[in-house]
């Protein structure tokens, strides 16, 4: 099994890892929400459009994936048209997490983070994933 490293707290931006800049991840996250709108509509009675995503983005100056996921989660909870059972809440968490993790690691069907500037960060033989 391959081993991976995802460093948080801005280190990805410092390492200049192609595709892992905060704004790029945010854009992919909202694209994922729009693509998954049918799923959100069926499960929660909430859809995502460009206008809705732009409104959520304007709610905060924090553009990190954790903050954006929080706003999306709250938006769905506030607007869902189904009973808010524990099962529904767990499905919501799973759906938001899936969109967020996909936004971090994938652009279209290509995995990101394979290349980084070696002058800043020497050759790496293994990677560690740390999401908090």
């Amino acid at each position: 099994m391959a081993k991976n490293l995802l460093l948080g707290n801005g280190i990805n931006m410092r390492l200049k890892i192609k595709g892992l800049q905060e704004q790029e991840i945010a854009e992919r996250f909202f694209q994922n929400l729009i693509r998954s709108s049918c799923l959100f509509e069926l499960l929660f009675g909430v859809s995502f459009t460009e206008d809705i995503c732009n409104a959520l983005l304007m709610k905060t100056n924090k553009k990190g994936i954790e903050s954006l996921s929080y706003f999306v989660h709250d938006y769905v909870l506030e607007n869902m048209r189904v009973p808010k059972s524990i099962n529904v809440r767990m499905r919501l968490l799973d759906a938001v997490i899936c969109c967020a993790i996909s936004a971090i690691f994938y652009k279209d069907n290509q995995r990101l983070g394979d290349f980084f500037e070696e002058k800043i960060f020497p050759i790496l033989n293994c990677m560690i994933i740390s999401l908090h």
Side-chain angles (χ1 to χ4, degrees):
M1 182 194 303
K3 297 180 180 175
N4 298 303
L5 173 64
L6 172 67
L7 300 171
N9 297 329
I11 195 93
N12 288 330
M13 291 179 282
R14 172 73 175 103
L15 296 178
K16 298 181 183 175
I17 298 172
K18 184 177 180 182
L20 294 182
Q21 303 299 307
E22 185 178 70
Q23 185 59 37
E24 294 168 314
I25 293 171
E27 289 170 11
R28 290 193 301 271
F29 179 56
F30 287 120
Q31 289 170 1
N32 288 346
L33 289 171
I34 292 168
R35 284 188 203 117
S36 303
S37 186
C38 290
L39 172 74
F40 281 90
E41 181 69 37
L42 287 170
L43 292 176
F44 314 112
V46 175
S47 62
F48 287 97
T49 63
E50 276 191 49
D51 290 338
I52 291 169
C53 290
N54 288 335
L56 289 169
L57 189 61
M58 293 300 132
K59 277 189 163 187
T60 181
N61 59 357
K62 296 180 180 180
K63 307 296 185 214
I65 191 68
E66 296 92 350
S67 298
L68 297 176
S69 297
Y70 169 81
F71 285 112
V72 166
H73 178 269
D74 277 3
Y75 169 78
V76 175
L77 269 181
E78 291 169 8
N79 294 286
M80 70 171 47
R81 290 181 259 150
V82 297
K84 296 174 184 168
S85 69
I86 295 295
N87 286 340
V88 169
R89 288 173 183 258
M90 294 305 293
R91 285 187 202 117
L92 173 58
L93 282 173
D94 288 343
V96 173
I97 289 169
C98 183
C99 288
I101 294 293
S102 297
I104 294 170
F105 292 109
Y106 292 92
K107 179 177 181 180
D108 301 320
N109 290 326
Q110 181 181 8
R111 190 179 74 190
L112 301 171
D114 289 340
F115 304 102
F116 50 87
E117 195 173 306
E118 290 184 18
K119 291 182 283 184
I120 296 172
F121 199 70
I123 293 175
L124 193 60
N125 291 326
C126 70
M127 305 283 252
I128 301 165
I129 297 177
S130 172
L131 296 176
H132 47 102

